[in-house]
Amino acid sequence: MNARTCRTFLVPVLLTLLMLAGPAVGQEEEAATSPLAAAITARLAEAGDELQAFYAVRGQRPAWEDSRTVAAFAAALHTLGGDGLTPGDYRPDALVAGYRQAHGEEGDLERQARFDLHASRVLLTALRHLQRGKLDPRDIDPDWEIPIVAPALDMAALSRAVDAQRFEQAFAEVRPAYAPYERLRTGLARYRNIERLGGWPRLPARERALRPGDLDDDVVMLRERLAVIGELEVMAAATAAFPGAERAAPDPRRYDEGLAAAVRRFQRRHLLEADGIVGARTRAALNVPVDERIDQIRLNLERARWLLHGLPDAFVLVDIAGYQISYFRPDGEIWRSRIVVGRPYRRTPSLRSEITHFTVNPTWTIPPTILREDVLPAIRQDLGYLWRERIQVLSPSGEPLDPWEVDWERPGNIMLRQAAGPQNALGRVAIRFPNDHLVYLHDTPAQGLFAREQRAFSSGCIRVQGVLEFAQLLFDDTDSGRDIEALIDAGQTRNVPLAEPVPLILHYWTVHAGADGELAFRPDIYQRDEALLQALDRPLVL
């Protein structure tokens, strides 16, 4: 191919590429210096930092001059319901009307500049809500200590998305990029579809529980209820549609083993005793209306937006309402176990910290609240409580005191410390992490509590089943070169550091999205859902 042929071939191709690439440099400069751009620039001094950054990457060019761009954005805003947000908060229809007013016959530069800035502000607000939540968790929970570490928006990429009208893609790029969030979104769509189809039947109140083997009309409703959510995959045959089926099909009124297995699965997912008996608590969980389950999913999507950003490859996640600890190890494996958390009146806090060291063979200095509310009443009834529990009475400076010489009605400024050993409330090891609530993970002599489905029995700290195995994994994964059993057998009370800290998150979820896509609804043990839902549904002021 000679030079002329090359030029003949390449020139049309280059022109085509330039046309596809968007406005030429001169056109961009012209747009940036247009009267509308100047009007926008004049108003930017009053705008926030994000809005200024957005227009800075555009060279102050208007973003919303094309009606098709506004229409595409309004359509995309309607999809935010899939994330549990309220599309009406962002007033998509008002955006379309606002564009017509600003760019219609009665429009002027001032009105167009205000509209351009407003539409951009709505876009940035929607993205921020998708990325890190509509609400500030500290406004809902005064004890909230987890920093929200969502990354800054990529303004250059966002500007290109606006010009190309790729709004749903822009939304997808800022959503938390973790499987639990997508599973919750999928679950929300599924339960909304159930709502559109009419929801599920409500089981009538009854004095006697439904038990496997029963023959009862309510069993038919129970089958229908579980079938709606896919818990019971096979219903009894419709004998009217299939003549002769009545001879082969099971009686739908019979509470058979297949139905009992489905009930037990439902009970396990709702943290109920998995006995297959439909008593008052199981019936109450079955009768929660579908719209309330939808709201529960929505507010847990909001909690996910608060948390699911910047997670390290290896970390420990404590699921408070789910009574479970998960250690995401550096090799990709996940170690899970049951936990006991704080009672409703002694709540385990939400926080983010790092595990720094262990205390082996710990003593336990009884915290003031437990001392005042639990231990002092027991001592006043029977001073022998101190000897049975191996508790030593100490002065504020740590000097031993004679229990017989203490006025237990007005004990003053004393400390009570339980000696290390099998009876110690912390067991054989405590796992420490800096926090203002003085909580930690620990062993326990009360191992029987782990057999319960709902395990809110502690005074705020977290008891861990299999804590020695967990501690050894932390030692191994941080190359700490320690043997937890050997340290305990040595019998000394000592602090043992990890070679490197391990990130830790304590968080509260009342819906868990399993790897199988099924949603597990947990009791709201700390009564946090209602306040969060009210705040989430409060109209947004833009």
Side-chain angles (χ1 to χ4, degrees):
M1 183 183 294
N2 59 33
R4 173 177 287 184
T5 305
C6 255
R7 286 195 298 272
T8 304
F9 173 76
L10 287 175
V11 168
V13 173
L14 289 172
L15 286 172
T16 302
L17 290 174
L18 286 170
M19 291 173 63
L20 291 173
V25 174
Q27 291 175 307
E28 287 190 355
E29 291 177 353
E30 182 181 345
T33 57
S34 69
L36 179 54
I40 290 171
T41 302
R43 298 184 66 87
L44 271 175
E46 305 170 5
D49 292 343
E50 279 192 329
L51 205 57
Q52 291 181 18
F54 174 69
Y55 280 97
V57 301
R58 297 180 63 80
Q60 318 305 334
R61 286 187 300 114
W64 309 96
E65 286 187 290
D66 190 332
S67 63
R68 293 169 299 181
T69 303
V70 177
F73 179 39
L77 286 173
H78 282 289
T79 70
L80 294 180
D83 291 87
L85 297 168
T86 303
D89 277 347
Y90 310 95
R91 299 165 181 79
D93 297 335
L95 277 174
V96 175
Y99 173 85
R100 290 172 181 160
Q101 291 174 358
H103 290 270
E105 292 182 358
E106 298 181 2
D108 54 32
L109 281 176
E110 183 65 19
R111 186 174 295 182
Q112 291 168 13
R114 284 201 307 268
F115 173 79
D116 214 275
L117 289 166
H118 171 71
S120 297
R121 188 178 294 110
V122 172
L123 173 61
L124 292 172
T125 299
L127 292 170
R128 192 164 57 247
H129 289 176
L130 270 179
Q131 185 187 52
R132 64 192 89 167
K134 174 184 175 182
L135 305 171
D136 185 336
R138 289 165 295 192
D139 294 337
I140 311 300
D141 180 3
D143 293 328
W144 180 269
E145 287 189 7
I146 303 177
I148 298 178
V149 292
L153 295 174
D154 183 342
M155 293 300 180
L158 179 58
S159 178
R160 291 192 295 270
V162 171
D163 290 339
Q165 301 174 13
R166 295 193 304 265
F167 296 104
E168 290 191 44
Q169 179 183 331
F171 290 169
E173 288 176 355
V174 299
R175 287 188 182 103
Y178 292 91
Y181 188 82
E182 192 55 41
R183 291 170 190 157
L184 284 172
R185 290 185 74 239
T186 301
L188 178 60
R190 179 182 169 208
Y191 274 73
R192 279 182 166 153
N193 187 55
I194 291 172
E195 183 180 43
R196 282 191 290 271
L197 295 174
W200 46 62
R202 181 179 178 85
L203 274 63
R206 48 186 295 138
E207 294 183 3
R208 180 179 170 276
L210 277 175
R211 298 173 178 270
D214 283 354
L215 188 68
D216 195 292
D217 289 340
D218 288 352
V219 174
V220 178
M221 296 184 68
L222 177 61
R223 287 183 183 278
E224 293 175 358
R225 168 64 179 88
L226 293 173
V228 166
I229 58 170
E231 194 68 75
L232 189 64
E233 296 181 357
V234 181
M235 296 288 289
T239 56
F242 301 97
E246 68 277 359
R247 293 190 296 272
D251 189 335
R253 299 169 63 248
R254 173 72 63 189
Y255 192 166
D256 56 24
E257 179 51 36
L259 180 57
V263 169
R264 288 193 292 270
R265 286 193 296 273
F266 178 90
Q267 289 171 325
R268 279 192 292 271
R269 285 214 309 275
H270 291 73
L271 297 181
L272 301 165
E273 296 299 324
D275 54 12
I277 299 171
V278 183
R281 295 181 68 185
T282 298
R283 185 174 64 251
L286 287 162
N287 282 343
V288 173
V290 66
D291 62 316
E292 291 186 21
R293 291 303 189 201
I294 288 170
D295 284 340
Q296 201 172 346
I297 300 168
R298 290 178 56 231
L299 58 89
N300 280 274
L301 277 162
E302 178 74 358
R303 288 181 174 130
R305 289 187 285 267
W306 294 342
L307 177 69
L308 296 180
H309 291 286
L311 297 181
D313 292 334
F315 67 103
V316 175
L317 177 64
V318 173
D319 179 356
I320 298 168
Y323 309 109
Q324 181 174 261
I325 185 171
S326 301
Y327 172 32
F328 296 83
R329 302 181 62 197
D331 62 4
E333 293 185 1
I334 305 174
W335 181 88
R336 288 191 172 94
S337 189
R338 292 185 161 210
I339 58 174
V340 172
V341 301
R343 298 180 182 94
Y345 57 91
R346 290 182 185 165
R347 301 176 178 184
T348 298
S350 295
L351 59 84
R352 191 166 188 159
S353 186
E354 291 182 324
I355 297 172
T356 55
H357 65 282
F358 302 160
T359 305
V360 295
N361 299 313
T363 61
W364 181 45
T365 300
I366 299 174
T369 301
I370 299 175
L371 172 63
R372 182 178 61 253
E373 297 180 2
D374 299 338
V375 177
L376 281 180
I379 294 172
R380 288 165 183 157
Q381 279 195 329
D382 179 11
L383 196 59
Y385 175 87
L386 292 170
W387 282 272
R388 288 193 302 274
E389 298 297 326
R390 303 182 67 211
I391 295 174
Q392 188 178 23
V393 186
L394 304 172
S395 71
S397 60
E399 297 174 356
L401 299 176
D402 185 345
W404 294 100
E405 296 181 358
V406 175
D407 180 358
W408 290 106
E409 293 300 324
R410 298 176 183 83
N413 193 15
I414 64 169
M415 292 191 300
L416 298 184
R417 181 172 295 156
Q418 188 179 37
Q423 287 180 270
N424 187 279
L426 308 187
R428 294 159 292 178
V429 63
I431 299 175
R432 310 285 189 175
F433 44 92
N435 66 92
D436 292 335
H437 300 275
L438 302 178
V439 297
Y440 37 83
L441 307 171
H442 65 89
D443 189 17
T444 176
Q447 293 289 313
L449 293 178
F450 291 119
R452 305 278 190 91
E453 290 300 321
Q454 297 186 30
R455 299 181 292 279
F457 300 113
S458 84
S459 294
C461 291
I462 302 103
R463 308 173 194 177
V464 181
Q465 187 177 37
V467 69
L468 298 190
E469 180 186 0
F470 176 48
Q472 190 60 55
L473 290 176
L474 292 174
F475 273 148
D476 294 344
D477 291 346
T478 56
D479 295 325
S480 297
R482 301 284 191 168
D483 184 322
I484 190 66
E485 295 280 4
L487 289 167
I488 292 170
D489 291 344
Q492 296 178 323
T493 298
R494 57 181 296 196
N495 290 325
V496 183
L498 289 176
E500 58 184 70
V502 175
L504 169 80
I505 297 171
L506 275 60
H507 197 38
Y508 187 83
W509 308 85
T510 54
V511 179
H512 172 72
D516 59 359
E518 294 297 327
L519 299 185
F521 296 92
R522 284 83 171 271
D524 180 18
I525 56 173
Y526 294 164
Q527 299 299 303
R528 290 177 172 170
D529 280 3
E530 182 59 33
L532 175 54
L533 182 62
Q534 288 183 7
L536 190 63
D537 284 342
R538 196 170 296 136
L540 183 67
V541 178
L542 287 172

